[in-house]
Amino acid sequence: MTKKQMKQQEEGIKALLIIIGGASYLYTKSITTTAVIVGVVISLIIAYSILKGIKHRERLRKSGINVIDQMKGIQFEHYLKELFLSQGYKVLVTPAAGDYGADLILSKDGEKIVVQAKRYSKNVGIKSVQEVAGAKTYYQATEAWVVTNSFFTKAAKELASKLDVKLVDREGLITYILKMNPNAIPNTNHKIS
């Protein structure tokens, strides 16, 4: 969840408490009863947040994203290769140098997809979008994707939208991993070929 989304959620909770408190007081005309009702609502919100946090942490643990966060870039590329192979794609990992902006080339059902893999600890910017868009043309691909264990800058999202580049961020990657294998935890002991 982004900071903006968290702030919006916080504002929504504040507004909800004000509405509940106001409605409660108008209905009961009792400060004590209103305080109890607002207290119960706050307790329910806290309980929900705790349960949601536990579920989120379990999802992260199952996905193995923390292991992915420790990988080197080339390991991440090969991890993605295995991920896409398991989905029936034919996968080519391009050479580290001279790849024209594509780390992986996927093919399936007559479609060719160029993928730029970004194992980052910061947000991915427009350069990756520009490079994979160029790779789409160079390799005559039907689609271009940037896949990261992180998130994308606003500028990268805007440019990707204009260039028809699919962005797969941290949450999308986790969802993709868990969809393929609900008990997935990446194996970092595999050899890189």
Side-chain angles (χ1 to χ4, degrees):
M1 182 178 290
T2 66
K3 288 181 183 179
K4 183 178 179 181
Q5 290 170 326
M6 287 172 52
K7 186 168 177 76
Q8 288 173 337
Q9 186 178 31
E10 184 180 307
E11 293 297 322
I13 291 171
K14 285 180 186 176
L16 176 67
L17 290 174
I18 290 169
I19 291 168
I20 289 172
S24 173
Y25 183 74
L26 286 173
Y27 183 74
T28 65
K29 303 287 188 222
S30 167
I31 295 282
T32 305
T33 304
T34 299
V36 168
I37 291 171
V38 170
V40 167
V41 170
I42 289 172
S43 297
L44 290 173
I45 290 170
I46 291 170
Y48 173 77
S49 296
I50 290 170
L51 289 174
K52 187 176 175 184
I54 290 169
K55 186 175 179 180
H56 180 70
R57 285 189 297 280
E58 178 65 14
R59 183 172 184 262
L60 291 178
R61 187 195 65 72
K62 276 187 171 183
S63 74
I65 196 71
N66 294 335
V67 174
I68 292 169
D69 290 341
Q70 303 306 312
M71 290 179 179
K72 302 284 185 209
I74 192 90
Q75 289 174 311
F76 184 52
E77 290 173 19
H78 285 270
Y79 174 75
L80 290 178
K81 173 186 174 184
E82 297 302 319
L83 200 61
F84 292 125
L85 282 170
S86 73
Q87 288 298 294
Y89 287 97
K90 291 180 183 175
V91 183
L92 171 69
V93 178
T94 62
D99 62 13
Y100 298 98
D103 297 314
L104 304 166
I105 301 172
L106 314 178
S107 56
K108 181 178 176 181
D109 301 329
E111 299 286 316
K112 184 190 279 187
I113 303 164
V114 290
V115 177
Q116 186 162 110
K118 289 295 178 191
R119 209 288 312 143
Y120 268 22
S121 57
K122 59 181 181 172
N123 289 343
V124 178
I126 63 171
K127 183 179 178 194
S128 297
V129 176
Q130 292 167 329
E131 289 176 356
V132 81
K136 180 180 176 184
T137 302
Y138 181 83
Y139 289 104
Q140 299 177 342
T142 52
E143 293 184 43
W145 301 354
V146 181
V147 180
T148 185
N149 66 313
S150 187
F151 295 95
F152 295 93
T153 64
K154 182 179 177 188
K157 291 176 190 175
E158 289 172 0
L159 184 60
S161 175
K162 297 262 188 218
L163 297 178
D164 196 27
V165 171
K166 180 178 177 178
L167 301 180
V168 180
D169 67 6
R170 184 178 189 86
E171 289 301 319
L173 179 60
I174 290 169
T175 298
Y176 196 61
I177 293 165
L178 292 176
K179 180 179 172 185
M180 291 188 307
N181 182 357
N183 299 313
I185 295 182
N187 176 4
T188 58
N189 297 325
H190 68 279
K191 290 187 177 183
I192 297 173
S193 54

